[in-house]
Amino acid sequence: FFICAFAPMLGLLICAACGALAPGRAAVRGRGVVMTATSMDRLGVAQQGRASVMSETIPKLYWPMLEHLFATMEQRLPGLRDHAFPEELWLAESNKPQPRSRMESWGFQSDQFRKIRTTYIDAGPQAQVLNSLWYPQPCYDLPVIGLDLLSFGAKKLCVIDIQPLPASRDHHHKLVQPLLAVRNKYPLFLGEKSDKIYSDDLFFSPAMLFGRFKDQNEVETTLFPVFKEYLDFYLNLVNECKPNHSEEAIARVLDGQRQYDQYNSERDPAIGLFNSYYGKEFAGRYVFEFLFEAAVPVPGSHGSN
Protein backbone atom coordinates (compact mmCIF):
# COMPACT_ATOMS: atom_id res chain seq x y z
CA PHE A 1 0.00 0.00 0.00
CA PHE A 2 1.01 3.61 -0.56
CA ILE A 3 -0.99 4.93 2.40
CA CYS A 4 1.89 7.16 3.50
CA ALA A 5 -0.06 10.28 2.55
CA PHE A 6 -2.85 9.35 4.92
CA ALA A 7 -0.76 7.82 7.68
CA PRO A 8 -1.49 10.48 10.33
CA MET A 9 -5.25 10.07 9.98
CA LEU A 10 -5.66 6.34 9.43
CA GLY A 11 -6.55 5.49 13.00
CA LEU A 12 -9.00 8.36 13.34
CA LEU A 13 -10.75 7.95 10.03
CA ILE A 14 -11.19 4.20 9.86
CA CYS A 15 -11.17 2.99 13.42
CA ALA A 16 -13.76 5.59 14.35
CA ALA A 17 -15.83 4.63 11.33
CA CYS A 18 -15.56 0.88 11.70
CA GLY A 19 -15.14 0.35 15.40
CA ALA A 20 -12.72 -2.21 16.81
CA LEU A 21 -12.74 -4.64 13.94
CA ALA A 22 -12.15 -8.35 14.23
CA PRO A 23 -12.02 -10.63 11.22
CA GLY A 24 -14.24 -13.63 10.82
CA ARG A 25 -17.89 -14.22 11.45
CA ALA A 26 -17.01 -15.59 14.88
CA ALA A 27 -15.95 -13.03 17.46
CA VAL A 28 -12.35 -14.23 17.51
CA ARG A 29 -9.69 -11.59 16.97
CA GLY A 30 -6.93 -12.37 14.51
CA ARG A 31 -8.64 -14.78 12.12
CA GLY A 32 -9.86 -14.38 8.59
CA VAL A 33 -13.03 -15.79 7.12
CA VAL A 34 -12.14 -19.11 5.52
CA MET A 35 -13.40 -19.27 1.94
CA THR A 36 -13.56 -22.25 -0.39
CA ALA A 37 -13.42 -20.28 -3.65
CA THR A 38 -9.91 -19.69 -5.02
CA SER A 39 -8.83 -16.42 -6.58
CA MET A 40 -9.61 -17.76 -10.05
CA ASP A 41 -13.05 -18.82 -8.83
CA ARG A 42 -13.59 -15.27 -7.57
CA LEU A 43 -12.28 -13.54 -10.69
CA GLY A 44 -15.80 -12.60 -11.83
CA VAL A 45 -16.16 -9.78 -9.30
CA ALA A 46 -18.99 -8.17 -11.28
CA GLN A 47 -21.22 -10.91 -9.91
CA GLN A 48 -20.78 -9.50 -6.41
CA GLY A 49 -22.39 -6.24 -7.43
CA ARG A 50 -21.17 -2.73 -6.75
CA ALA A 51 -23.04 -2.06 -3.49
CA SER A 52 -21.13 -1.67 -0.23
CA VAL A 53 -21.48 -4.14 2.62
CA MET A 54 -22.81 -1.23 4.66
CA SER A 55 -25.78 -0.43 2.44
CA GLU A 56 -27.12 -1.26 -1.00
CA THR A 57 -27.45 2.48 -1.61
CA ILE A 58 -23.71 3.06 -1.12
CA PRO A 59 -21.48 2.15 -4.08
CA LYS A 60 -18.07 0.52 -3.78
CA LEU A 61 -16.19 3.47 -5.20
CA TYR A 62 -13.33 1.66 -6.93
CA TRP A 63 -15.14 -1.58 -7.75
CA PRO A 64 -15.58 -0.72 -11.46
CA MET A 65 -11.80 -0.37 -11.67
CA LEU A 66 -11.36 -3.73 -9.98
CA GLU A 67 -13.71 -5.23 -12.60
CA HIS A 68 -11.60 -3.63 -15.35
CA LEU A 69 -8.40 -4.89 -13.74
CA PHE A 70 -9.61 -8.49 -13.64
CA ALA A 71 -11.14 -8.32 -17.13
CA THR A 72 -7.77 -7.09 -18.41
CA MET A 73 -6.03 -10.03 -16.74
CA GLU A 74 -8.36 -12.49 -18.42
CA GLN A 75 -7.95 -10.85 -21.82
CA ARG A 76 -4.23 -10.10 -21.84
CA LEU A 77 -2.41 -12.52 -19.54
CA PRO A 78 -1.71 -15.96 -21.01
CA GLY A 79 -1.61 -18.79 -18.50
CA LEU A 80 -3.52 -16.87 -15.82
CA ARG A 81 -3.86 -19.06 -12.72
CA ASP A 82 -3.95 -18.95 -8.94
CA HIS A 83 -1.01 -17.78 -6.88
CA ALA A 84 -1.35 -19.80 -3.71
CA PHE A 85 -1.59 -18.11 -0.33
CA PRO A 86 -3.27 -19.25 2.92
CA GLU A 87 -7.04 -19.57 2.72
CA GLU A 88 -7.57 -17.81 6.04
CA LEU A 89 -6.11 -14.64 4.48
CA TRP A 90 -8.50 -14.53 1.53
CA LEU A 91 -11.24 -12.64 3.36
CA ALA A 92 -11.51 -10.65 6.59
CA GLU A 93 -14.70 -9.09 7.91
CA SER A 94 -15.89 -7.08 10.85
CA ASN A 95 -17.83 -9.15 13.38
CA LYS A 96 -20.12 -6.25 14.25
CA PRO A 97 -23.47 -5.80 12.48
CA GLN A 98 -22.99 -2.03 11.99
CA PRO A 99 -20.86 -0.47 10.74
CA ARG A 100 -19.38 -3.28 8.70
CA SER A 101 -16.06 -3.71 6.92
CA ARG A 102 -14.84 -6.32 4.46
CA MET A 103 -11.33 -6.94 3.09
CA GLU A 104 -11.02 -9.42 0.23
CA SER A 105 -7.73 -10.48 -1.34
CA TRP A 106 -6.79 -12.27 -4.56
CA GLY A 107 -3.53 -13.80 -5.76
CA PHE A 108 -2.67 -14.69 -9.37
CA GLN A 109 0.25 -15.62 -11.56
CA SER A 110 0.65 -16.06 -15.29
CA ASP A 111 3.22 -16.91 -17.94
CA GLN A 112 4.54 -13.32 -17.68
CA PHE A 113 3.91 -12.56 -14.00
CA ARG A 114 5.33 -14.35 -11.00
CA LYS A 115 2.77 -12.79 -8.69
CA ILE A 116 -0.18 -10.40 -8.89
CA ARG A 117 -1.78 -9.53 -5.58
CA THR A 118 -4.92 -7.47 -5.18
CA THR A 119 -6.83 -6.26 -2.13
CA TYR A 120 -10.15 -4.43 -1.79
CA ILE A 121 -11.34 -2.90 1.48
CA ASP A 122 -14.98 -1.85 1.70
CA ALA A 123 -16.14 0.07 4.77
CA GLY A 124 -18.85 2.10 3.08
CA PRO A 125 -18.34 5.88 2.85
CA GLN A 126 -15.71 5.79 5.61
CA ALA A 127 -13.17 3.72 3.65
CA GLN A 128 -12.75 2.33 0.14
CA VAL A 129 -9.34 0.97 -0.89
CA LEU A 130 -8.14 -0.82 -4.02
CA ASN A 131 -4.54 -2.00 -4.07
CA SER A 132 -2.81 -4.17 -6.65
CA LEU A 133 0.87 -5.00 -7.16
CA TRP A 134 2.28 -6.93 -10.14
CA TYR A 135 5.67 -8.70 -10.11
CA PRO A 136 6.94 -9.88 -13.52
CA GLN A 137 8.47 -13.31 -13.94
CA PRO A 138 12.21 -13.01 -13.14
CA CYS A 139 13.24 -13.68 -16.73
CA TYR A 140 11.95 -10.15 -17.50
CA ASP A 141 14.12 -7.22 -16.42
CA LEU A 142 11.15 -4.97 -15.72
CA PRO A 143 9.79 -2.79 -12.93
CA VAL A 144 6.76 -3.73 -10.87
CA ILE A 145 3.51 -1.78 -11.12
CA GLY A 146 1.69 -0.57 -8.03
CA LEU A 147 -1.91 0.63 -8.21
CA ASP A 148 -3.26 2.20 -5.03
CA LEU A 149 -6.57 4.02 -4.80
CA LEU A 150 -7.87 5.19 -1.44
CA SER A 151 -10.87 7.02 -0.07
CA PHE A 152 -11.38 7.98 3.58
CA GLY A 153 -14.58 9.96 3.88
CA ALA A 154 -14.29 13.00 1.61
CA LYS A 155 -10.52 12.63 1.23
CA LYS A 156 -9.28 10.61 -1.74
CA LEU A 157 -5.84 9.61 -2.87
CA CYS A 158 -4.41 8.03 -6.00
CA VAL A 159 -0.88 6.63 -6.24
CA ILE A 160 0.03 4.73 -9.41
CA ASP A 161 3.62 3.99 -10.32
CA ILE A 162 5.73 1.68 -12.45
CA GLN A 163 8.39 1.15 -9.83
CA PRO A 164 12.05 0.48 -10.57
CA LEU A 165 14.15 -2.26 -9.01
CA PRO A 166 17.57 -1.24 -7.62
CA ALA A 167 19.93 -3.10 -9.96
CA SER A 168 18.15 -1.78 -13.07
CA ARG A 169 17.00 1.58 -11.77
CA ASP A 170 18.37 3.71 -14.65
CA HIS A 171 17.08 1.29 -17.29
CA HIS A 172 13.65 1.14 -15.68
CA HIS A 173 13.47 4.93 -15.52
CA LYS A 174 14.13 5.09 -19.26
CA LEU A 175 11.35 2.61 -19.92
CA VAL A 176 8.74 4.92 -18.37
CA GLN A 177 9.88 8.13 -20.06
CA PRO A 178 7.00 8.00 -22.60
CA LEU A 179 4.58 8.15 -19.66
CA LEU A 180 5.72 11.64 -18.69
CA ALA A 181 3.62 13.11 -21.51
CA VAL A 182 0.62 11.06 -20.32
CA ARG A 183 1.21 12.19 -16.74
CA ASN A 184 1.26 15.85 -17.75
CA LYS A 185 -2.23 15.52 -19.21
CA TYR A 186 -3.57 14.95 -15.70
CA PRO A 187 -2.54 17.87 -13.45
CA LEU A 188 -4.68 16.43 -10.65
CA PHE A 189 -2.04 13.70 -10.21
CA LEU A 190 1.15 15.77 -10.34
CA GLY A 191 1.54 15.91 -6.55
CA GLU A 192 4.45 14.58 -4.52
CA LYS A 193 4.52 11.75 -2.03
CA SER A 194 5.03 12.33 1.65
CA ASP A 195 8.60 11.89 2.88
CA LYS A 196 7.44 11.02 6.39
CA ILE A 197 7.46 7.27 5.70
CA TYR A 198 9.25 6.98 2.35
CA SER A 199 12.18 9.38 2.72
CA ASP A 200 13.95 8.36 -0.49
CA ASP A 201 13.02 7.61 -4.11
CA LEU A 202 14.65 4.20 -4.33
CA PHE A 203 11.50 2.42 -5.54
CA PHE A 204 9.66 5.33 -7.18
CA SER A 205 9.77 6.50 -10.80
CA PRO A 206 9.60 9.99 -12.34
CA ALA A 207 6.28 8.96 -13.93
CA MET A 208 4.54 8.37 -10.60
CA LEU A 209 0.96 9.62 -10.37
CA PHE A 210 0.16 11.12 -6.97
CA GLY A 211 -2.96 13.10 -6.28
CA ARG A 212 -5.28 14.06 -3.44
CA PHE A 213 -8.79 15.16 -4.29
CA LYS A 214 -12.30 15.43 -2.84
CA ASP A 215 -14.60 15.51 -5.88
CA GLN A 216 -15.90 11.94 -6.26
CA ASN A 217 -16.72 12.63 -9.92
CA GLU A 218 -12.97 12.77 -10.60
CA VAL A 219 -12.83 9.01 -10.03
CA GLU A 220 -14.75 8.31 -13.22
CA THR A 221 -13.78 11.33 -15.33
CA THR A 222 -10.06 11.56 -14.56
CA LEU A 223 -8.77 8.69 -12.43
CA PHE A 224 -10.29 5.81 -14.39
CA PRO A 225 -8.88 6.98 -17.78
CA VAL A 226 -5.34 7.42 -16.48
CA PHE A 227 -5.60 4.14 -14.57
CA LYS A 228 -6.33 2.41 -17.89
CA GLU A 229 -3.55 4.24 -19.74
CA TYR A 230 -0.88 3.30 -17.22
CA LEU A 231 -2.00 -0.32 -17.05
CA ASP A 232 -2.07 -0.63 -20.84
CA PHE A 233 1.37 0.98 -21.14
CA TYR A 234 2.80 -1.42 -18.58
CA LEU A 235 1.36 -4.52 -20.21
CA ASN A 236 2.73 -3.37 -23.56
CA LEU A 237 6.17 -3.09 -21.91
CA VAL A 238 5.85 -6.66 -20.72
CA ASN A 239 4.77 -7.92 -24.14
CA GLU A 240 7.72 -6.17 -25.83
CA CYS A 241 10.34 -7.35 -23.34
CA LYS A 242 12.58 -10.23 -24.41
CA PRO A 243 13.05 -12.80 -21.64
CA ASN A 244 16.52 -13.59 -20.36
CA HIS A 245 16.65 -17.07 -18.85
CA SER A 246 20.25 -16.95 -17.64
CA GLU A 247 20.70 -17.82 -13.98
CA GLU A 248 22.50 -14.52 -13.34
CA ALA A 249 19.72 -12.41 -14.85
CA ILE A 250 16.98 -14.28 -13.01
CA ALA A 251 18.83 -14.02 -9.70
CA ARG A 252 19.30 -10.27 -10.18
CA VAL A 253 15.58 -9.66 -10.79
CA LEU A 254 14.50 -11.91 -7.91
CA ASP A 255 16.88 -10.07 -5.59
CA GLY A 256 15.42 -6.75 -6.71
CA GLN A 257 11.91 -7.96 -6.00
CA ARG A 258 13.08 -9.27 -2.62
CA GLN A 259 14.56 -5.85 -1.82
CA TYR A 260 11.28 -4.24 -2.82
CA ASP A 261 9.34 -6.49 -0.44
CA GLN A 262 11.80 -5.95 2.40
CA TYR A 263 11.78 -2.16 1.98
CA ASN A 264 8.00 -1.93 2.04
CA SER A 265 7.46 -4.48 4.80
CA GLU A 266 9.53 -2.24 7.09
CA ARG A 267 7.80 1.02 6.18
CA ASP A 268 4.23 0.50 5.03
CA PRO A 269 1.96 2.32 7.52
CA ALA A 270 -1.00 0.18 6.48
CA ILE A 271 0.52 -2.61 8.55
CA GLY A 272 -0.37 -0.71 11.71
CA LEU A 273 -3.90 -0.46 10.36
CA PHE A 274 -4.10 -4.24 9.95
CA ASN A 275 -2.84 -4.64 13.52
CA SER A 276 -5.66 -2.49 14.86
CA TYR A 277 -8.28 -4.11 12.64
CA TYR A 278 -7.42 -7.77 12.90
CA GLY A 279 -4.83 -8.19 15.60
CA LYS A 280 -1.08 -8.63 15.36
CA GLU A 281 -1.14 -12.33 14.54
CA PHE A 282 -3.38 -11.89 11.50
CA ALA A 283 -1.56 -8.72 10.40
CA GLY A 284 1.84 -10.38 10.64
CA ARG A 285 0.71 -13.31 8.54
CA TYR A 286 -0.98 -11.03 6.01
CA VAL A 287 2.20 -9.00 5.58
CA PHE A 288 4.68 -11.86 5.28
CA GLU A 289 2.51 -14.57 3.73
CA PHE A 290 0.68 -12.38 1.21
CA LEU A 291 1.68 -8.73 0.79
CA PHE A 292 5.48 -9.04 0.94
CA GLU A 293 6.23 -12.74 0.83
CA ALA A 294 9.94 -12.34 0.12
CA ALA A 295 10.52 -10.16 3.18
CA VAL A 296 11.63 -11.23 6.65
CA PRO A 297 10.49 -9.55 9.89
CA VAL A 298 12.79 -6.90 11.32
CA PRO A 299 12.30 -6.06 15.03
CA GLY A 300 10.90 -2.57 15.51
CA SER A 301 9.61 -2.16 11.94
CA HIS A 302 5.96 -1.71 10.92
CA GLY A 303 5.64 -5.32 9.86
CA SER A 304 7.16 -7.00 12.91
CA ASN A 305 5.02 -8.09 15.85
Side-chain angles (χ1 to χ4, degrees):
F1 289 80
F2 284 95
I3 307 185
C4 50
F6 281 108
M9 64 184 74
L10 281 175
L12 293 176
L13 281 173
I14 300 187
C15 291
C18 302
L21 300 184
R25 295 187 178 89
V28 179
R29 189 172 178 81
R31 290 183 184 172
V33 180
V34 177
M35 304 178 72
T36 58
T38 68
S39 294
M40 288 296 293
D41 293 333
R42 294 180 284 123
L43 193 59
V45 291
Q47 298 173 6
Q48 290 191 31
R50 297 180 177 180
S52 168
V53 295
M54 292 197 52
S55 171
E56 291 187 359
T57 64
I58 300 172
K60 289 181 283 193
L61 184 61
Y62 301 120
W63 202 258
M65 302 167 84
L66 179 67
E67 293 175 3
H68 174 79
L69 196 68
F70 286 177
T72 300
M73 289 183 193
E74 288 188 286
Q75 295 164 7
R76 299 194 57 176
L77 301 187
L80 185 65
R81 54 197 182 272
D82 286 304
H83 175 84
F85 66 103
E87 293 180 16
E88 55 269 33
L89 303 181
W90 294 358
L91 178 65
E93 292 183 339
S94 160
N95 68 339
K96 295 189 176 183
Q98 290 294 335
R100 297 180 59 196
S101 175
R102 173 186 174 98
M103 180 173 75
E104 186 168 358
S105 302
W106 297 261
F108 304 100
Q109 58 185 310
S110 74
D111 295 349
Q112 296 166 311
F113 288 94
R114 179 180 67 81
K115 176 184 176 183
I116 302 171
R117 63 164 175 82
T118 300
T119 300
Y120 197 97
I121 299 175
D122 169 26
Q126 285 79 15
Q128 296 284 319
V129 176
L130 170 60
N131 169 260
S132 191
L133 187 64
W134 301 39
Y135 301 77
Q137 293 285 4
C139 57
Y140 297 104
D141 183 6
L142 289 171
V144 302
I145 185 170
L147 307 163
D148 208 41
L149 315 177
L150 306 102
S151 175
F152 298 119
K155 299 178 183 294
K156 294 164 179 58
L157 172 69
C158 158
V159 189
I160 298 175
D161 198 14
I162 297 176
Q163 302 176 264
L165 300 180
S168 299
R169 181 176 171 81
D170 291 341
H171 170 58
H172 290 175
H173 278 188
K174 289 179 182 178
L175 290 177
V176 302
Q177 286 299 309
L179 275 178
L180 296 180
V182 175
R183 181 176 182 265
N184 290 333
K185 294 191 304 181
Y186 299 94
L188 183 65
F189 303 122
L190 296 181
E192 296 183 1
K193 65 178 176 62
S194 168
D195 290 335
K196 183 174 182 179
I197 304 296
Y198 298 96
S199 58
D200 55 60
D201 293 322
L202 182 63
F203 291 100
F204 298 95
S205 87
M208 179 180 65
L209 298 173
F210 186 101
R212 300 182 182 92
F213 58 100
K214 292 185 177 180
D215 184 354
Q216 186 165 312
N217 293 325
E218 296 283 7
V219 172
E220 182 175 352
T221 61
T222 308
L223 177 55
F224 206 167
V226 74
F227 177 91
K228 292 177 180 177
E229 284 196 65
Y230 266 58
L231 182 61
D232 286 345
F233 178 89
Y234 182 68
L235 290 177
N236 288 339
L237 275 185
V238 174
N239 288 334
E240 294 166 4
C241 184
K242 294 182 179 180
N244 184 343
H245 294 284
S246 73
E247 291 185 6
E248 180 182 358
I250 287 174
R252 183 173 62 249
V253 172
L254 283 175
D255 186 61
Q257 293 181 0
R258 180 198 60 77
Q259 291 181 61
Y260 179 93
D261 276 9
Q262 191 65 46
Y263 178 90
N264 284 280
S265 74
E266 295 174 20
R267 291 166 176 80
D268 196 327
I271 297 166
L273 179 66
F274 299 140
N275 283 340
S276 63
Y277 269 30
Y278 310 118
K280 288 187 176 182
E281 181 180 352
F282 180 93
R285 292 196 62 197
Y286 195 73
V287 169
F288 294 107
E289 297 181 43
F290 179 63
L291 294 182
F292 306 116
E293 293 173 314
V296 295
V298 174
S301 68
H302 281 279
S304 63
N305 290 328

